């Protein structure tokens, strides 16, 4: 059961000549010029539709509609929260679900950059 505001992991399959640092399950093409790999995307549930589809939002505010039973979509685990902890505050902020820790961090950085008088 997915709820609005809850973080999810979407495992996206990608193809490119140079996989990034988050790539896993790398497989070279037949001639070795490109790679097929999987990347874990951390998204948040923006809305749960009546027809069983989910409106997901990325860290950058891009929206995707996905079936709730999509095998590439899963709930986050404590391990995901540990590994992707720097990305969780960005997703929480975009989804409108600021965590206590990110609110505290924003308060700590509010005074930075100002000239002292």
């Amino acid at each position: 059961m997915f709820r609005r505001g809850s973080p999810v992991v979407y495992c996206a399959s990608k193809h490119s000549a140079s996989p990034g640092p988050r790539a896993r399950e790398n497989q070279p093409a037949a001639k070795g010029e490109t790679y097929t790999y999987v990347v874990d995307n951390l998204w948040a549930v923006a809305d749960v539709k009546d027809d069983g589809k989910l409106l997901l939002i990325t860290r950058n505010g891009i929206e995707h509609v996905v079936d709730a039973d999509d095998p590439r979509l899963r709930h986050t685990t404590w391990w995901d929260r540990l590994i992707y902890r720097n990305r969780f505050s960005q997703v929480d902020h975009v989804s409108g679900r600021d965590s206590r820790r990110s609110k505290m961090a924003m308060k700590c950085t509010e005074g930075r950059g100002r000239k002292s008088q």
Side-chain angles (χ1 to χ4, degrees), residues 53-64:
K53 295 190 185 270
L54 303 173
L55 177 65
L56 305 176
I57 189 165
T58 68
R59 296 181 293 159
N60 300 326
I62 299 170
E63 296 178 342
H64 299 275

Side-chain angles (χ1 to χ4, degrees), residues 2-75:
F2 294 97
R3 289 186 283 165
R4 187 171 187 212
S6 61
V8 294
V9 176
Y10 186 81
C11 302
S13 178
K14 296 192 170 197
H15 310 278
S16 76
S18 58
R22 296 185 299 131
R24 60 183 177 84
E25 299 179 20
N26 297 332
Q27 296 179 351
K31 295 185 180 180
E33 296 174 359
T34 60
Y35 294 90
T36 301
Y37 53 95
V38 175
V39 176
D40 289 336
N41 293 319
L42 184 64
W43 295 347
V45 178
D47 194 19
V48 179
K49 305 289 184 182
D50 293 333
D51 60 354
K53 295 190 185 270
L54 303 173
L55 177 65
L56 305 176
I57 189 165
T58 68
R59 296 181 293 159
N60 300 326
I62 299 170
E63 296 178 342
H64 299 275
V65 177
V66 178
D67 287 327
D69 59 352
D70 190 329
R72 296 172 292 182
L73 182 69
R74 63 181 171 84
H75 292 278

